[in-house]
Amino acid sequence: MSYSYAAQRLLFNRLDHIESIEVKRTEERYEEFLRLAQEAAPHIWGAGMIRTDRLEEISFTVEAAADEQFIVQRLEREKRCGTVRQLDAEHYCFSAAVYDARELLPWIRTFIGRINAFSCSNEEIERIFYDDLEQTAAYYLQEVQADGEQ
């Protein structure tokens, strides 16, 4: 992560994309940029930060029976900057405030079939999530119908 003077914000840089480095001078604003990075860290899921001026709230609820504690353990182990709380004997809610909620979608999709509720303050992310579900359901319906014709 570094501060981009051009974009005037923190950005992630891929090390394999750096072609050369030129040492010019000591950064006079280092402490300021370090503080920005430390404030941002609790809200970063992956390597992207589309915006740093607002957080997106994202949450989903999963069902895990008493004999399926591996689901709860996985939520706890993989939650990164999110929190997991037990709602009742079989329901657990994951929630996070992040700069880029889109980054969580691939991980959240791995819980499909167990998700009882999903919400995001970014309506586009909600639309993408539910569109993906509809496309997946349509695909499987098509496969079931094709199997029935054989």
Side-chain angles (χ1 to χ4, degrees):
M1 180 189 298
S2 65
Y3 185 83
S4 167
Y5 284 102
Q8 295 189 349
R9 65 185 180 103
L10 295 170
L11 294 175
F12 283 96
N13 302 284
R14 287 183 49 147
L15 294 178
D16 60 336
H17 286 196
I18 297 173
E19 295 176 5
S20 66
I21 295 175
E22 182 180 335
V23 178
K24 291 191 172 189
R25 61 177 169 74
T26 301
E27 176 55 62
E28 294 174 8
R29 297 172 58 193
Y30 172 79
E31 294 297 326
E32 174 188 347
F33 298 144
L34 177 60
R35 183 185 48 75
L36 287 174
Q38 289 170 333
E39 289 172 1
H43 304 288
I44 297 171
W45 181 265
M49 294 185 334
I50 292 176
R51 302 176 56 149
T52 55
D53 60 338
R54 69 177 164 84
L55 293 173
E56 298 174 340
E57 302 285 337
I58 190 164
S59 68
F60 66 98
T61 301
V62 298
E63 187 171 330
D67 63 341
E68 297 177 314
Q69 287 304 296
F70 63 93
I71 298 297
V72 179
Q73 291 166 356
R74 182 171 164 233
L75 280 169
E76 286 290 348
R77 183 178 63 246
E78 299 174 8
K79 68 183 178 186
R80 296 187 195 178
C81 60
T83 59
V84 176
R85 63 186 166 90
Q86 186 170 3
L87 302 177
D88 60 35
E90 295 187 345
H91 294 90
Y92 298 82
C93 180
F94 167 88
S95 60
V98 294
Y99 290 113
D100 187 1
R102 182 181 314 264
E103 290 189 317
L104 282 83
L105 288 178
W107 178 69
I108 292 171
R109 286 185 196 113
T110 67
F111 292 95
I112 294 297
R114 296 190 172 277
I115 297 175
N116 294 101
F118 174 83
S119 67
C120 185
S121 61
N122 181 334
E123 292 175 6
E124 179 185 2
I125 301 302
E126 274 195 16
R127 184 185 49 75
I128 290 169
F129 177 80
Y130 287 113
D131 285 352
D132 287 350
L133 280 181
E134 286 179 21
Q135 289 175 11
T136 302
Y139 171 79
Y140 282 106
L141 180 60
Q142 183 180 21
E143 289 295 312
V144 167
Q145 289 171 345
D147 285 345
E149 293 174 2
Q150 295 177 1

